[in-house]
Amino acid sequence: MTSYVNPHDFPPLKNNLILRAARGERIERAPVWVMRQAGRYLPEFRAIRAEQDFFKVCRTPSLACEVTLQPIRRYTGLVDASIIFSDILVVPQAMGLVVEMIPGKGPSFPAPLKTPEDMCRLSDNVDVEKELGYVCDAITLTRKELKGEVPLIGFCGAPWTLFAYMIEGGGSKFFTACKTWLFKYPKESKDLLQRISVVCADFLVAQVKAGAQLLQVFDSWAGELSPSDYREFSLPYCQFISSTVRVKLRELNIPEVPMILFAKGANWALEELVESAGYDVLGLDWLHEPDIARKRVGSRVTLQGNMDPNVLYGGKEAIERTVKQMAEAFKVNGSPDRWIANLGHGITPGVDPDDLKWFFECIHKYSYADTC
C-alpha cells in the first residue's frame, strides 16, 4: 500500500508559480511546461530508450525518475513544472490487458476487447497501489530528487480515451470499433467506462499520496465524439474522477491538489466544462483563440495552452512571434493571471531541444504582467 508521504518529508518547494496560477492567485508571469516534456525529442531520453523497453522505463522507478528530471536539468530556471514519466495505458495494463509499445507504430493491444463478453478478461477489483505502485514509487523518488525546484504533476488518461484504446487495439483514424460499442452496446459501454473511472480515480489519489502536487486527466480523443455523445460517454466519467478524487483526499485528511482536464478537440464544450466538470484548470488545444476562450469562461477557471506544437519547427522568429501573440491574447488587462503556458498538444519527437528552450525563453519574455 502506498502510504501518504508528508510534504515535510520532501525538500521545500522553491517555485510554486504553477500552483498559484492553477488556484487563481495573482502571478507575476505565466508558468510554463509542455506535455510530453520528458520524451523522444531529447537525445538523453533516446539514449536510455536505446537500451530499455518503453514500459520497462515506466516500471523502473529509478529510470522513470531520471527521464522525468532530464528536461528539468536541461531547462533549469525556464520550466515551472515536471510531469512524471509514465503512460496513460498503464491503467488498461493494471486492469488485465496486455499493451506493447511497437517501435515506429506506437501502442498496440494484441488482444483488444472485441465484444462486451470480453470484459470478463478484466480484473474485477484493481488494487492500484499494487498494480501501479511503481508509478507511485517513481513519484516519491522524483519529488526527492527534484529538490524542490519545481512541482511534480501526476496524470492518467480519461475513461473515454482509454476505452477507445482498449477496444480499437491502438491508435485509430475512424474509431469504428469503439463507437460501435457506444451505439450497439450503450449499457455495457457505460459499465466499462465506469470501471475505468474507478481505477483512474484510485490511481490519481495514490499519486497524490506518493507526492504528486497537481493532477492532469488527458482526454486526448474527446473531439472524436459529437456533443451529445461527449455528454453521455465522456463528461460524466471525467466528473466522477474529479469529485471522487477530492472526496477521497478529504477522507484521508490529505490536502487537495489542483486538477487539470485536457479535453482535446471538445472546444464547443468549454462553458459546460467550467460549469460542471469540476477541474481547476482546463487545457486548450491550438484551435482555440485564447482571448475568446477567456471571454467565454471569465475568471472562473485557469486556462492552459495552447501553441500549435508544429510552430516549434518554424524557427526562432516564428516561435517568438507566436508566443508574443499568444501571451497578448491570454492576458486580461495586462495580467497573466489564470494562465498556464503550454503547447496545444504534446511536443513531437523531431523538435530541436534548443527551439523548445527558445519557446520557454519567449514565454518568460512576453508573459510578465505589464506592470512588472
Side-chain angles (χ1 to χ4, degrees):
M1 176 177 284
T2 301
S3 58
Y4 173 51
V5 183
N6 192 298
H8 296 294
D9 294 334
F10 294 120
L13 184 61
K14 303 170 187 175
N15 177 352
N16 67 353
L17 189 61
I18 192 170
L19 300 178
R20 289 160 46 206
R23 293 173 180 142
E25 300 172 13
R26 296 300 302 271
I27 53 175
E28 59 276 12
R29 66 165 175 84
V32 60
W33 68 285
V34 298
M35 292 174 278
R36 297 189 191 139
Q37 189 165 272
R40 289 176 290 170
Y41 72 100
L42 289 176
E44 53 266 43
F45 174 84
R46 294 196 298 271
I48 288 178
R49 280 286 286 113
E51 300 179 354
Q52 304 289 348
D53 173 76
F54 177 85
F55 283 114
K56 173 70 177 297
V57 179
C58 293
R59 295 190 188 107
T60 307
S62 59
L63 291 175
C65 173
E66 167 59 25
V67 170
T68 303
L69 293 173
Q70 286 176 346
I72 307 304
R73 292 195 200 103
R74 179 181 278 265
Y75 303 118
T76 185
L78 291 175
V79 64
D80 297 295
S82 57
I83 183 166
I84 193 65
F85 182 79
S86 185
D87 193 272
I88 65 171
L89 298 182
V90 300
V91 166
Q93 288 177 331
M95 295 179 72
L97 295 184
V98 174
V99 185
E100 301 170 345
M101 195 63 71
I102 309 298
K105 177 183 177 184
S108 175
F109 290 64
L113 304 178
K114 295 292 188 181
T115 68
E117 288 72 25
D118 288 335
M119 286 195 289
C120 68
R121 292 162 35 206
L122 302 177
S123 302
D124 288 329
N125 296 293
V126 178
D127 182 344
V128 299
E129 295 185 349
K130 175 185 176 184
E131 299 297 333
L132 298 171
Y134 58 86
V135 178
C136 299
D137 291 342
I139 286 172
T140 301
L141 177 60
T142 304
R143 272 293 304 273
K144 294 175 180 177
E145 294 300 318
L146 279 167
K147 297 180 171 55
E149 183 169 346
V150 293
L152 178 62
I153 302 170
F155 70 92
C156 72
W160 152 247
T161 290
L162 296 177
F163 172 97
Y165 268 112
M166 293 164 71
I167 294 169
E168 295 288 343
S172 177
K173 182 178 290 187
F174 301 113
F175 297 87
T176 302
C178 60
K179 288 191 178 184
T180 297
W181 270 60
L182 297 185
F183 305 134
K184 193 173 185 178
Y185 313 114
K187 181 183 181 299
E188 293 86 350
S189 293
K190 291 176 183 179
D191 289 344
L192 178 53
L193 286 162
Q194 182 61 27
R195 289 175 69 175
I196 297 169
S197 301
V198 169
V199 178
C200 287
D202 288 346
F203 184 34
L204 292 177
V205 169
Q207 291 183 63
V208 175
K209 289 170 66 177
Q213 294 154 290
L214 300 92
L215 298 171
Q216 176 152 322
V217 176
F218 288 87
D219 204 356
S220 304
W221 289 344
E224 298 299 327
L225 294 174
S226 71
S228 61
D229 292 331
Y230 180 81
R231 293 186 186 103
E232 185 173 3
F233 296 110
S234 184
L235 180 56
Y237 305 98
C238 292
Q239 292 168 326
F240 174 87
I241 290 172
S242 64
S243 61
T244 301
V245 168
R246 295 183 195 282
V247 167
K248 289 194 173 189
L249 290 177
R250 285 196 294 268
E251 290 174 345
L252 293 167
N253 292 316
I254 297 174
E256 292 183 30
V257 302
M259 297 184 69
I260 306 166
L261 175 62
F262 179 48
K264 184 178 181 292
N267 301 347
W268 59 268
L270 195 55
E271 290 90 345
E272 292 185 36
L273 295 177
V274 173
E275 293 291 343
S276 65
Y279 291 80
D280 306 279
V281 182
L282 297 178
L284 306 180
D285 63 39
W286 63 91
L287 299 180
H288 280 280
E289 293 183 275
D291 52 344
I292 294 176
R294 174 54 67 201
K295 290 175 182 176
R296 289 170 64 186
V297 306
S299 60
R300 293 173 292 171
V301 70
T302 296
L303 297 176
Q304 176 175 274
N306 70 328
M307 190 177 86
D308 185 337
N310 286 312
V311 175
L312 293 172
Y313 294 99
K316 287 190 172 184
E317 183 178 342
I319 293 169
E320 182 167 7
R321 181 176 63 251
T322 306
V323 167
K324 183 179 180 181
Q325 292 171 346
M326 179 173 68
E328 291 172 348
F330 269 110
K331 287 181 182 180
V332 177
N333 297 323
S335 170
D337 292 352
R338 288 247 181 229
W339 174 37
I340 297 170
N342 205 311
L343 302 176
H345 198 214
I347 186 171
T348 52
V351 170
D352 185 327
D354 287 338
D355 288 329
L356 181 61
K357 181 181 180 183
W358 182 244
F359 167 76
F360 290 142
E361 290 172 341
C362 289
I363 293 293
H364 281 247
K365 179 178 180 180
Y366 292 107
S367 75
Y368 269 97
D370 290 353
T371 55
C372 291

